[in-house]
């Protein structure tokens, strides 16, 4: 038994839970995670969104073994093969789509599931088609947990996959029904479908260490569900009042949807997921350089649309001021794909604030535990114009095991 225990990579706590499961699945290394909220007197163990994520992993893989302790504070995960969507093999597969239902007590935005799913999709054996349904689907940004909206994910994260030889044209994100967070930040009732048909043997080496360039245009989406459609125009006007002083090419689309009807325990249906928010993405003159910002009204309300619009605009300016070629939203995705790519050294330019984030430092430590090389960090050669850093990441050459077998 002692020999088996040493095979597990051990972690404690719930920090970076999804990313550790993703790294375990990509590398094939089993993990043991203990002391998950063990000190909490009211909600110890795995949260509903973490349990739902484990079920999603089980649905898109074949041969995975997940053991959860009775209290939910300890899990062991032995990864299987990433199969994607194969009828008759995947649990919950209906035709060419895996249907995954989120519980009503879910407090995380749908991008909590989409970001790790998109990391696994290029390495699957078949296409990765997943539809998220149920009373817990929140398509907007989340006020309490800080998840980004589906709009920022589609416009600021998915296009970056093209730099790794993964064509974004074969990646489709369908928002079939929108929803903001319900009362107390729980539940939503939206419907989102991700169709990822860009599978590769090995991601290309990334060299994104050039100057970020100047912002040439800003795009965005103002969305509201279950409130007056005029909220969109008010948010757009406030955001343009800030941004038009700096960039002339600003275009923000307006998206209105009725609040979804979700059934409760008694069988009666009621409207939840009422709210509004704004997503903005700035595109630079340098290819592949994107910055994004997301602001949403809190579930309890009390905020006018003008405040949301102005706050999102200023947040975007702060993200741009941090420097680098990517923001903190997309940095973990790029760094992980670089580490999983061919055995060559890739380079990525980051702002000091982005690199100093707890999530980025934790990712570097986790990657090293899974066998990746340490990062090399140096100042950029811009004659002291910026304080940006260049991070060098050596690929492990893991690649797509399913494609290798096939």
């Amino acid at each position: 038994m002692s020999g088996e225990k040493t095979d597990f990579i051990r972690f404690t706590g719930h920090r970076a839970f999804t990313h550790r499961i993703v790294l375990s699945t990509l590398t094939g290394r089993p993990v043991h995670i203990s002391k998950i909220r063990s000190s909490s007197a009211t909600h110890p163990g795995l949260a509903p969104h973490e349990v739902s994520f484990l079920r999603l992993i089980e649905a898109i893989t074949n041969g995975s073994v997940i053991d959860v302790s009775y209290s939910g504070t300890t899990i062991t995960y032995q990864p299987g093969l990433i199969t994607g969507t194969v009828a008759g093999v995947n649990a919950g597969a209906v035709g060419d789509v895996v249907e995954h239902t989120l519980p009503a007590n879910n407090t995380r935005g749908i991008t909590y599931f989409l970001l790790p799913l998109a990391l696994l999709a290029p390495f699957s054996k078949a296409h990765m088609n997943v539809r998220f349904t149920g009373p817990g689907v929140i398509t907007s940004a989340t006020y309490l947990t800080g998840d980004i909206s589906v709009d920022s994910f589609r416009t600021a994260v998915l296009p970056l996959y093209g730099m790794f030889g993964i064509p974004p044209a074969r990646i489709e994100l369908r928002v079939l029904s929108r929803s903001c967070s319900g009362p107390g930040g729980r539940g939503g009732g939206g419907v989102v479908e991700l169709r990822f048909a860009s599978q590769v043997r090995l991601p290309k080496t990334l060299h994104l260490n050039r100057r970020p360039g100047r912002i040439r245009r800003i795009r965005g989406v103002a969305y509201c569900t279950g409130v007056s459609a005029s909220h969109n125009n008010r948010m757009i006007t406030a955001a343009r009042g800030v941004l038009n002083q700096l960039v002339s090419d600003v275009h923000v689309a307006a998206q209105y949807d009725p609040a979804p009807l979700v059934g409760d325990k008694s069988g009666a249906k009621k409207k939840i997921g009422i709210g509004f928010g704004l997503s903005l993405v700035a595109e630079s003159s340098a290819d592949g350089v994107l910055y994004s910002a997301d602001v949403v009204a809190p579930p309890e309300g009390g905020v006018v649309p003008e405040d949301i619009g102005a706050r999102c605009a200023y947040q975007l300016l702060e993200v741009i001021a941090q420097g680098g070629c990517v923001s903190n939203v997309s940095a973990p995705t790029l760094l992980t794909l670089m580490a999983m790519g061919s055995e060559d050294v890739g380079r990525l330019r980051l702002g000091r604030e982005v690199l100093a984030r707890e999530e980025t430092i934790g990712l570097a430590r986790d990657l090293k535990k899974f066998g990746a090389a340490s990062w090399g960090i140096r100042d950029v050669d811009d004659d002291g114009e910026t304080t940006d850093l260049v991070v060098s990441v050596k690929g492990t050459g893991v690649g797509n095991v399913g494609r290798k077998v096939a």
Side-chain angles (χ1 to χ4, degrees):
M1 292 295 291
S2 60
E4 293 182 8
K5 288 182 179 179
T6 55
D7 293 336
F8 285 92
I9 299 176
R10 298 181 176 274
F11 297 102
T12 58
H14 64 280
R15 183 187 66 81
F17 179 82
T18 58
H19 224 90
R20 287 168 175 172
I21 297 296
V22 166
L23 292 178
S24 172
T25 308
L26 291 175
T27 59
R29 304 278 300 275
V31 293
H32 177 276
I33 306 176
S34 59
K35 297 182 180 178
I36 302 173
R37 300 184 184 86
S38 55
S39 59
S40 174
T42 54
H43 299 93
L46 293 170
H49 54 269
E50 292 165 343
V51 174
S52 185
F53 178 73
L54 291 175
R55 287 174 177 160
L56 174 62
I57 293 295
E58 193 174 26
I60 61 172
T61 59
N62 187 21
S64 297
V65 179
I66 303 173
D67 290 324
V68 182
S69 66
Y70 180 77
S71 61
T73 57
T74 302
I75 75 159
T76 56
Y77 171 62
Q78 300 182 51
L81 184 67
I82 309 171
T83 57
T85 305
V86 181
V89 175
N90 303 95
V94 179
D96 65 338
V97 178
V98 172
E99 286 206 6
H100 185 68
T101 304
L102 299 184
N105 56 354
N106 173 50
T107 58
R108 301 301 298 262
I110 192 62
T111 51
Y112 173 86
F113 303 90
L114 289 175
L115 283 166
L117 183 64
L119 272 175
L120 294 173
F123 303 93
S124 67
K125 192 171 184 180
H127 294 177
M128 185 76 75
N129 304 327
V130 180
R131 182 186 298 127
F132 294 91
T133 60
V137 179
I138 304 170
T139 64
S140 70
T142 53
Y143 182 79
L144 300 176
T145 56
D147 297 310
I148 64 173
S149 66
V150 289
D151 303 291
S152 292
F153 174 73
R154 181 179 57 217
T155 56
V157 177
L158 289 182
L160 301 177
Y161 280 80
M163 295 187 291
F164 294 92
I166 305 168
R170 303 192 66 191
I171 307 172
E172 184 180 4
L173 182 66
R174 302 175 181 174
V175 184
L176 305 178
S177 177
R178 287 180 178 267
S179 175
C180 294
S181 300
R186 298 182 181 87
V191 180
V192 176
E193 185 176 312
L194 176 66
R195 288 182 169 269
F196 207 111
S198 294
Q199 280 67 45
V200 295
R201 168 65 189 91
L202 205 63
K204 292 182 179 179
T205 304
L206 175 67
H207 295 285
L208 191 59
N209 57 340
R210 54 181 174 271
R211 295 193 180 193
R214 293 183 176 273
I215 302 302
R216 62 177 181 177
R217 63 181 182 180
I218 295 175
R219 296 291 182 263
V221 176
Y223 54 86
C224 62
T225 56
V227 297
S228 172
S230 64
H231 284 55
N232 286 334
N233 294 330
R234 294 166 65 183
M235 286 187 290
I236 293 171
T237 302
R240 289 180 66 95
V242 176
L243 299 173
N244 275 137
Q245 304 175 48
L246 306 169
V247 182
S248 59
D249 189 358
V250 178
H251 179 74
V252 182
Q255 180 69 42
Y256 171 77
D257 287 86
L261 289 170
V262 177
D264 55 16
K265 294 180 180 179
S266 63
K269 289 189 175 183
K270 62 179 181 178
K271 291 184 178 181
I272 66 169
I274 299 172
F276 54 92
L278 180 62
S279 165
L280 293 174
V281 176
E283 301 178 19
S284 169
S285 57
D287 291 338
V289 179
L290 300 170
Y291 307 98
S292 66
D294 257 306
V295 176
V296 67
E300 63 273 11
V303 179
V304 295
E306 288 80 3
D307 287 348
I308 297 297
R311 197 182 306 167
C312 190
Y314 285 121
Q315 186 185 105
L316 180 65
L317 296 179
E318 289 179 6
V319 172
I320 296 171
Q322 290 177 358
C325 290
V326 293
S327 63
N328 54 8
V329 169
S330 51
T333 296
L334 294 184
L335 291 168
T336 302
L337 288 173
M338 292 169 70
M340 295 298 115
S342 58
E343 296 184 37
D344 195 3
V345 178
R347 294 172 179 84
L348 178 64
R349 179 168 176 160
L350 295 176
R352 288 181 181 267
E353 291 184 39
V354 176
L355 185 60
R357 285 173 58 88
E358 182 182 353
E359 297 174 6
T360 312
I361 300 299
L363 174 61
R365 291 171 177 164
D366 291 347
L367 283 170
K368 190 172 182 181
K369 278 195 171 185
F370 282 99
S374 300
W375 295 350
I377 302 174
R378 64 173 175 83
D379 292 322
V380 297
D381 302 324
D382 279 354
D383 300 326
E385 293 181 7
T386 67
T387 59
D388 292 350
L389 300 169
V390 174
V391 181
S392 301
V393 182
K394 186 177 184 298
T396 56
V398 172
N400 192 328
V401 178
R403 294 249 159 173
K404 191 190 301 182
V405 172

